[in-house]
Amino acid sequence: MKTPMVRLRGRIALASWFGVAAVLLHTVASAGEPPADPILRIEAGMHTAEIRGADVDSSGRYAVTASEDKSARIWDIGTGRLLQVLRPPQGAANEGQLQAQAMSPDGTLVVVAGFTGYEWDHAYSIDVFERASGRLLRRLRGLPNYIQCLAFSPDGRWLAAGLAGNGGIRVWDTNRWAEPLQDGEYGDPTVGISWSADGRLATSSYDGQLRLYRVAGQGLTKLASVAAPGKKPIGLAFSPDGLSLAVGYADESGRARIDVLDANSLGLRFSPDTERVTNGVLPFVAWSLDGRSLYAAGTWGLHDVIVRRWPDSGRGKAVDVQAATRRQVNGLRPLPGGGVLVAAANFWGVIDAHDVWHPRGLPPTAELKNKQTNEWGEVIQGFQGYALSQDGSRVQFGFEREGEAPYHFDVRRRTLTQGTAPDLFPPNVSSLNLERWDGDYKDPTSLDGKLLPLDTDERSFGLAISPDAQRFALGTFWKVRLFDRMGQPLWQSIAPDLEYGVNIPPNGKTVVAFCADGTIRWYRITDGRELLAFFPHADRKRWVLWTPSGYYDASPGGEDLIGWHLNRGADQAADFFPAARFRAKFHRPDVIDRVLDTLNEDEALRAANAESGRREEITPSVARILPPVIDLMSPADVRTAENTTTIRARARTTADAPVTAWRVRVNGQAVPLERGLTRMQSAGEEREVVVPLPAQDAEVQVFAENGHGISSPATVRVTWTGRSDLAVPTRLPTAPDAAGSPTNAAGTAGAFVIRPTLYVLSIGVSQYIHADIPKLGLAAKDADDFVATMQRQKGKLYRDVQVRLLTDAKATRDEVVDGLDWLQKQVTQHDVGMVFLSGHGLNDASLGYVYLPVNADPAKLKRTGVPMSDFRSTLANLTGKAVFFLDTCHAGNVLGSMRKGELDDISAVINELASAENGVVVFSSSTGRQSSLEDSSWGNGAFSKAVIEGLNGGADFQKSGRITYKMLDLYVSDRVKQLTHGMQSPVTQAPGGVPDFPLALTR
């Protein structure tokens, strides 16, 4: 297999990995079907590995990106919203990695390919998907090598594919999808394809040739084949008038060059100005749709990625647009109205007709590329990236390259903290004489001048020597390797991506690897068995920590960052199940706590089960406990001026677990099922539901439930096209104008609005009866002050405010349960229900998280405590809006050594309440295992003080006269951190599908 296209300067050459990948593929290949076992994957809402390119439909509404993370994604170009994730079948090693994508001009089809199909077919294939539904329609099989590039003709009639190796090109008639036209006379990979408006096809290859074809029903006719004027041609683009062909190059000398050729003879016409283009090349090109501008991009800029535009059809003075920081561009696509879509390494965006950059899909991963050596290969003194604690349980890394934006994570305390930690140890790279281990050399790594036994073209990127200098670890292409001090291999472990760095903690028990997919992974040093993986999201708030079997712990909002990919055979799209769907079985922070001590996941599970009294002996099989999967049978995008829409959906479920219930939510609010859910005749688990709609844009979510759990939602996005003066549904609160007349969201006076009633259940306990439960100073006062704050909204935002206040002696278990019953009976679809809860809570092995009312007895929790499941079931079943203020972590481990188990952790409660199927907006006083703080000088607990201040106007940053939940979130977060000097971190979590809405008015 010869060299395909390269990852340009600052990245590795793809040739190196592809040589290794080909070996891996051949070693894991098996005939027939893709693997049937579920595969644990990251799902961060964006690609976590390199995007290999993008394409758009002719209207400029949709974009598709394809990535080495084995997924393709459909986006709304205007908003950047993710619409669909396409999941081809995948397997071990690199089976399923995508290298190419194309969208049909009418936007109905998406094709993706790369390392697809070889593991079970022993030949490569192209997957053809229906864009709207994500269904896999067909596979184009039997290709001799993987696919480098794909392109539809402008009329959608033809699909062209460029193959790696010397496979040449294939062209399919999309009307028949029969045996393709082909030209196999290529000496190297085909890396670029472009179609002209009149049906000509141009290709570029690493053999240095540019080829021009005429494609028609009778065959593939070669019109010309010439040597490219520059070295390593890659990008091609016909001008809209079909007279010119632009070519970009990946010259390894780093000399940027762009050529504009005659599109008939392929002779050179001129070369646009590339002056000042240093430290990179511009291999990707695109013309604006009016032909007046030529664009090019790649890796130009040591610190910035810049897209260059030449006006006057490429002859004008260059205009440079900074599109991103420290990323390379892998594709450009022109857009209607001017400008281009830019696909970069792990995000995308749009440069508009005025040369303004608009980021869309943003990177979800930490960079983890912390350089340990300078440009001369010398170790940087004082390097602190990849630093570890004595036992490896605390780890330091940078969210940005070169270790910038440092954070450290504590596995035991579950804290992600900004800044560096003082007592951590960087990798030892000097105790042995290793050379060329930092990824910048063409020659492989050596020890004492002797080459190490690595795979062909394999390079290392990180080194760590054990404290006793008897072993050393290398992080390489998709592998973590351990050697003895003489350079003999001890073990190798396949990793999910490039290994940027490794470290061995001073206790010498693990190897910790820092991967290009944004994960940090712990391996047992004795045999390379993976123990833990940690993924910190780039928002620097969410994270998830898990074992190979899928036991996990997560921050609020973090548990859906991983899930299970399940192949459905070679000819169907795979399903994906977020980890939250298996929360009851796999959310096991107690297992995570023990892994680094036992160095054995099975032993950690046994110890955790013994401690908590669980009966489970082995890890449950995900494939045996699957919730339903919902397929929409009606459009996922609806435009309407009607007050209802009809949705058809089909549920797929396992044979042993039929669908037992259906649920529907509109903008997060529950819709009573008696409103029209009907079984379709002779359609199995297919249903049709007439859904009431507000007079505004809305998101409708449909769920199905079986004995194993609740499905992920199938989502229908509704665009309101009716009258603007009706664009506020009666269930949403509005503010009066200056004259006191009600106004809608646009400020239009005179629209009739039914203001909601607010129902508040406020509970606070300071003076506990039981001697073993510590008393609190301000919890009861917090509940009282919250009620007073919300009562002031009567006649403002709310027509009425109804309250049940339970403090101290009144807050018995029976009164709390009665209060929940009152709330559920009172709140209608037009109302808002709030629960404010302050006091103590704790985790119980059988009951989960339990609130302690005033008469709670730690020895009789089932009878005297209120499980959080009671609060969840009440709030989740409200037909109006549901908001929960949760302030129950006042003392960490409330009962100290009297109670078995670990420190109380509220994150699981937040995640469950804010799941899409429950629809609750949750404000929590703290995260993870933090304690909530109170001080008499504040007059309230820190969280309650911030909430009350915010609702009384502090959160109205823009002086708009209203406080929305997102505005309150911002205020509370900043205010609590200020009051507690960063010791307490409140969090707000809202389900997907719930738009921002007001909680209070300030005038």
Side-chain angles (χ1 to χ4, degrees), residues 349-396:
V350 170
I351 295 176
D352 66 21
H354 304 290
D355 297 327
V356 177
W357 168 245
H358 302 275
R360 291 290 190 257
L362 297 176
T365 59
E367 278 290 328
L368 300 186
K369 192 173 185 180
N370 302 341
K371 192 69 173 168
Q372 294 180 245
T373 59
N374 61 26
E375 58 185 309
W376 299 284
E378 299 168 339
V379 175
I380 298 173
Q381 298 302 314
F383 171 78
Q384 288 296 311
Y386 313 143
L388 300 172
S389 62
Q390 171 71 25
D391 63 355
S393 67
R394 287 184 294 135
V395 56
Q396 185 167 295

Coordinates of all heavy atoms in Angstrom, one line a residue, residues 349-396:
G349 N -17.0 25.4 10.6 CA -17.6 26.7 10.7 C -17.8 27.3 9.3 O -17.5 26.6 8.3
V350 N -18.2 28.5 9.3 CA -18.5 29.2 8.0 C -17.8 30.5 8.0 O -17.8 31.3 8.9 CB -20.1 29.4 7.9 CG1 -20.4 30.3 6.7 CG2 -20.8 28.0 7.8
I351 N -17.2 30.8 6.8 CA -16.7 32.1 6.5 C -17.8 32.7 5.5 O -18.0 32.2 4.5 CB -15.4 32.1 5.8 CG1 -14.3 31.6 6.8 CG2 -15.0 33.5 5.3 CD1 -12.9 31.5 6.3
D352 N -18.4 33.8 5.9 CA -19.5 34.4 5.1 C -18.9 35.2 4.0 O -17.7 35.4 3.8 CB -20.5 35.1 6.0 CG -19.9 36.4 6.6 OD1 -18.9 36.9 6.1 OD2 -20.5 36.9 7.6
A353 N -19.8 35.8 3.2 CA -19.5 36.6 2.0 C -18.7 37.9 2.4 O -18.1 38.5 1.5 CB -20.7 37.0 1.3
H354 N -18.7 38.2 3.7 CA -18.0 39.4 4.2 C -16.7 39.1 4.9 O -16.2 39.9 5.6 CB -18.9 40.2 5.1 CG -20.2 40.6 4.5 ND1 -20.3 41.6 3.5 CD2 -21.5 40.1 4.7 CE1 -21.6 41.7 3.1 NE2 -22.3 40.8 3.8
D355 N -16.3 37.8 4.7 CA -15.0 37.4 5.3 C -15.0 37.3 6.8 O -14.0 37.5 7.5 CB -13.8 38.2 4.8 CG -13.6 38.1 3.3 OD1 -13.9 37.1 2.8 OD2 -13.2 39.1 2.7
V356 N -16.2 37.1 7.4 CA -16.4 36.9 8.8 C -16.5 35.5 9.2 O -17.3 34.7 8.6 CB -17.6 37.7 9.3 CG1 -17.8 37.5 10.8 CG2 -17.4 39.2 9.0
W357 N -15.7 35.0 10.2 CA -15.7 33.6 10.6 C -16.8 33.4 11.6 O -17.0 34.1 12.6 CB -14.4 33.3 11.2 CG -14.3 32.0 12.0 CD1 -14.1 31.8 13.3 CD2 -14.4 30.7 11.5 NE1 -14.0 30.5 13.6 CE2 -14.3 29.8 12.5 CE3 -14.6 30.2 10.2 CZ2 -14.3 28.4 12.4 CZ3 -14.7 28.8 10.0 CH2 -14.6 27.9 11.1
H358 N -17.6 32.3 11.4 CA -18.7 31.9 12.3 C -18.4 30.5 12.7 O -18.7 29.5 11.9 CB -20.0 32.0 11.6 CG -20.4 33.4 11.1 ND1 -20.9 34.4 11.9 CD2 -20.2 34.0 9.9 CE1 -21.1 35.5 11.2 NE2 -20.6 35.3 10.0
P359 N -17.9 30.2 13.9 CA -17.7 28.8 14.3 C -19.0 28.1 14.5 O -20.0 28.8 15.0 CB -16.9 29.0 15.6 CG -17.2 30.3 16.1 CD -17.5 31.2 14.9
R360 N -19.1 26.9 14.2 CA -20.3 26.1 14.4 C -20.0 24.9 15.3 O -20.1 25.0 16.5 CB -20.8 25.6 13.0 CG -21.4 26.8 12.2 CD -22.7 27.3 12.7 NE -23.3 28.2 11.8 CZ -23.3 29.6 11.9 NH1 -22.6 30.1 12.9 NH2 -23.9 30.3 11.0
G361 N -19.7 23.7 14.8 CA -19.4 22.6 15.6 C -18.0 22.8 16.3 O -17.0 22.8 15.6
L362 N -18.0 22.9 17.6 CA -16.7 23.2 18.3 C -16.1 22.0 18.8 O -16.8 21.0 19.1 CB -17.0 24.2 19.4 CG -17.5 25.6 19.0 CD1 -17.8 26.5 20.2 CD2 -16.5 26.3 18.1
P363 N -14.8 22.0 19.0 CA -14.1 20.8 19.5 C -14.6 20.4 20.9 O -14.7 21.3 21.8 CB -12.6 21.2 19.5 CG -12.5 22.4 18.7 CD -13.8 23.1 18.7
P364 N -14.9 19.1 21.2 CA -15.3 18.7 22.5 C -14.2 18.2 23.4 O -14.4 17.9 24.5 CB -16.3 17.6 22.2 CG -15.7 16.9 21.0 CD -15.0 18.1 20.2
T365 N -13.0 18.1 22.8 CA -11.9 17.4 23.5 C -10.8 18.3 24.1 O -10.6 19.4 23.5 CB -11.2 16.4 22.6 OG1 -10.7 17.1 21.5 CG2 -12.2 15.3 22.1
A366 N -10.2 17.9 25.1 CA -9.0 18.6 25.6 C -7.9 18.3 24.6 O -7.8 17.2 24.0 CB -8.6 18.1 27.0
E367 N -7.0 19.2 24.3 CA -5.9 19.0 23.3 C -5.0 17.9 23.8 O -4.6 17.0 23.0 CB -5.2 20.3 23.1 CG -5.8 21.2 22.1 CD -5.8 20.7 20.7 OE1 -4.8 20.0 20.3 OE2 -6.8 21.0 20.0
L368 N -4.5 17.9 25.0 CA -3.6 16.9 25.6 C -2.3 16.8 24.8 O -1.5 15.8 25.0 CB -4.3 15.5 25.6 CG -5.5 15.4 26.5 CD1 -6.0 14.0 26.5 CD2 -5.3 16.0 27.9
K369 N -2.0 17.7 23.9 CA -0.7 17.7 23.2 C 0.2 18.6 23.8 O 0.4 19.8 23.4 CB -1.0 18.0 21.7 CG 0.3 17.7 20.8 CD -0.1 17.9 19.4 CE 1.1 17.5 18.5 NZ 0.8 17.6 17.1
N370 N 0.8 18.2 24.9 CA 1.7 19.0 25.7 C 3.1 18.7 25.4 O 3.6 17.6 25.7 CB 1.5 18.8 27.2 CG 0.0 19.1 27.6 OD1 -0.7 19.7 26.9 ND2 -0.4 18.5 28.7
K371 N 3.8 19.6 24.7 CA 5.1 19.3 24.1 C 6.2 19.2 25.2 O 6.3 20.0 26.1 CB 5.5 20.4 23.2 CG 6.7 20.1 22.3 CD 6.5 19.1 21.3 CE 7.6 18.9 20.4 NZ 7.5 17.7 19.6
Q372 N 6.9 18.1 25.2 CA 7.9 17.8 26.3 C 9.3 18.2 25.8 O 10.2 18.3 26.7 CB 7.9 16.3 26.6 CG 6.7 15.9 27.3 CD 6.7 14.4 27.6 OE1 6.0 13.6 27.1 NE2 7.6 14.0 28.5
T373 N 9.5 18.4 24.5 CA 10.8 18.8 24.0 C 10.7 20.1 23.2 O 9.7 20.4 22.6 CB 11.5 17.7 23.2 OG1 10.6 17.4 22.1 CG2 11.6 16.4 24.0
N374 N 11.8 20.8 23.0 CA 11.8 21.9 22.2 C 12.1 21.5 20.7 O 12.3 20.3 20.4 CB 12.8 23.0 22.7 CG 14.3 22.5 22.7 OD1 14.6 21.5 22.0 ND2 15.1 23.0 23.6
E375 N 12.3 22.5 19.9 CA 12.5 22.2 18.4 C 13.8 21.5 18.1 O 14.0 20.9 17.1 CB 12.4 23.5 17.6 CG 13.4 24.5 18.0 CD 13.1 25.8 17.2 OE1 13.0 25.7 16.0 OE2 13.1 26.9 17.8
W376 N 14.7 21.5 19.1 CA 16.0 20.8 18.9 C 16.0 19.4 19.6 O 17.0 18.7 19.7 CB 17.1 21.6 19.5 CG 17.3 22.9 18.8 CD1 17.8 23.2 17.5 CD2 16.8 24.2 19.3 NE1 17.7 24.5 17.2 CE2 17.1 25.2 18.3 CE3 16.2 24.6 20.4 CZ2 16.8 26.5 18.4 CZ3 15.9 25.9 20.6 CH2 16.2 26.9 19.6
G377 N 14.8 19.0 20.1 CA 14.7 17.7 20.7 C 15.2 17.7 22.2 O 15.3 16.6 22.8
E378 N 15.4 18.8 22.7 CA 15.9 18.9 24.1 C 14.7 18.9 25.1 O 13.7 19.6 24.8 CB 16.7 20.1 24.3 CG 18.0 20.2 23.5 CD 18.6 21.6 23.5 OE1 18.0 22.6 23.8 OE2 19.8 21.6 23.1
V379 N 14.8 18.2 26.2 CA 13.7 18.1 27.1 C 13.5 19.5 27.8 O 14.5 20.1 28.2 CB 14.0 17.0 28.2 CG1 12.9 17.1 29.3 CG2 14.1 15.7 27.6
I380 N 12.3 19.9 27.8 CA 12.0 21.2 28.4 C 12.0 21.1 30.0 O 11.3 20.3 30.5 CB 10.6 21.7 28.0 CG1 10.6 21.9 26.5 CG2 10.2 23.0 28.7 CD1 9.2 22.2 25.9
Q381 N 12.9 21.8 30.6 CA 13.0 21.7 32.0 C 11.8 22.3 32.7 O 11.2 23.3 32.3 CB 14.3 22.5 32.5 CG 15.6 21.9 31.9 CD 15.8 20.5 32.3 OE1 15.6 20.1 33.5 NE2 16.2 19.7 31.4
G382 N 11.4 21.6 33.8 CA 10.2 22.1 34.5 C 8.9 21.7 33.8 O 7.8 22.2 34.3
F383 N 8.9 20.9 32.8 CA 7.7 20.4 32.1 C 6.8 19.8 33.2 O 7.1 18.9 33.9 CB 8.1 19.5 31.0 CG 6.9 18.8 30.4 CD1 6.1 19.4 29.5 CD2 6.5 17.5 30.8 CE1 5.0 18.8 28.9 CE2 5.4 16.9 30.2 CZ 4.7 17.5 29.3
Q384 N 5.5 20.3 33.2 CA 4.5 19.7 34.1 C 3.3 19.1 33.5 O 2.5 18.6 34.2 CB 4.1 20.9 35.1 CG 5.1 21.4 36.1 CD 5.5 20.3 37.0 OE1 4.6 19.6 37.6 NE2 6.8 20.1 37.2
G385 N 3.2 19.1 32.2 CA 2.1 18.4 31.6 C 2.3 16.9 31.8 O 3.4 16.4 32.0
Y386 N 1.1 16.2 31.9 CA 1.1 14.7 32.1 C 1.6 14.4 33.5 O 2.0 13.2 33.8 CB 1.9 13.9 31.1 CG 1.7 14.3 29.7 CD1 2.7 14.3 28.7 CD2 0.4 14.7 29.2 CE1 2.5 14.7 27.4 CE2 0.2 15.0 27.9 CZ 1.2 15.0 27.0 OH 1.0 15.3 25.7
A387 N 1.6 15.3 34.5 CA 2.1 15.0 35.8 C 1.0 14.2 36.6 O -0.2 14.3 36.4 CB 2.4 16.3 36.5
L388 N 1.6 13.3 37.5 CA 0.7 12.4 38.3 C 1.1 12.5 39.8 O 2.2 12.9 40.1 CB 0.9 11.0 37.8 CG 0.6 10.6 36.4 CD1 1.1 9.2 36.1 CD2 -0.9 10.8 36.1
S389 N 0.2 12.1 40.6 CA 0.4 12.0 42.0 C 1.2 10.7 42.3 O 1.4 9.9 41.4 CB -0.9 12.0 42.8 OG -1.7 10.9 42.4
Q390 N 1.5 10.5 43.5 CA 2.3 9.3 43.9 C 1.6 8.0 43.5 O 2.3 7.1 43.0 CB 2.4 9.3 45.5 CG 3.0 8.0 46.0 CD 4.5 7.8 45.8 OE1 5.2 8.8 45.5 NE2 5.0 6.6 45.7
D391 N 0.3 7.9 43.6 CA -0.4 6.7 43.3 C -1.1 6.8 41.9 O -1.8 5.8 41.5 CB -1.4 6.3 44.3 CG -2.5 7.3 44.5 OD1 -2.4 8.4 43.9 OD2 -3.4 7.1 45.3
G392 N -0.9 7.9 41.2 CA -1.5 8.0 39.9 C -3.0 8.4 39.9 O -3.6 8.5 38.9
S393 N -3.6 8.7 41.1 CA -5.0 9.0 41.2 C -5.3 10.5 40.9 O -6.4 10.9 40.7 CB -5.5 8.7 42.6 OG -4.9 9.5 43.6
R394 N -4.3 11.3 40.9 CA -4.4 12.7 40.5 C -3.6 13.0 39.3 O -2.4 12.6 39.2 CB -4.0 13.7 41.6 CG -5.1 13.7 42.7 CD -4.7 14.7 43.8 NE -3.5 14.4 44.5 CZ -2.5 15.2 44.7 NH1 -2.6 16.5 44.3 NH2 -1.4 14.8 45.4
V395 N -4.2 13.6 38.3 CA -3.5 13.8 37.0 C -3.7 15.2 36.5 O -4.7 15.8 36.6 CB -4.1 12.8 36.0 CG1 -5.6 12.9 35.8 CG2 -3.5 12.9 34.6
Q396 N -2.6 15.7 35.9 CA -2.6 17.1 35.4 C -2.4 17.1 33.9 O -1.7 16.3 33.4 CB -1.4 17.9 36.1 CG -1.4 19.4 35.7 CD -0.5 20.1 36.6 OE1 -0.7 20.2 37.8 NE2 0.6 20.6 36.1

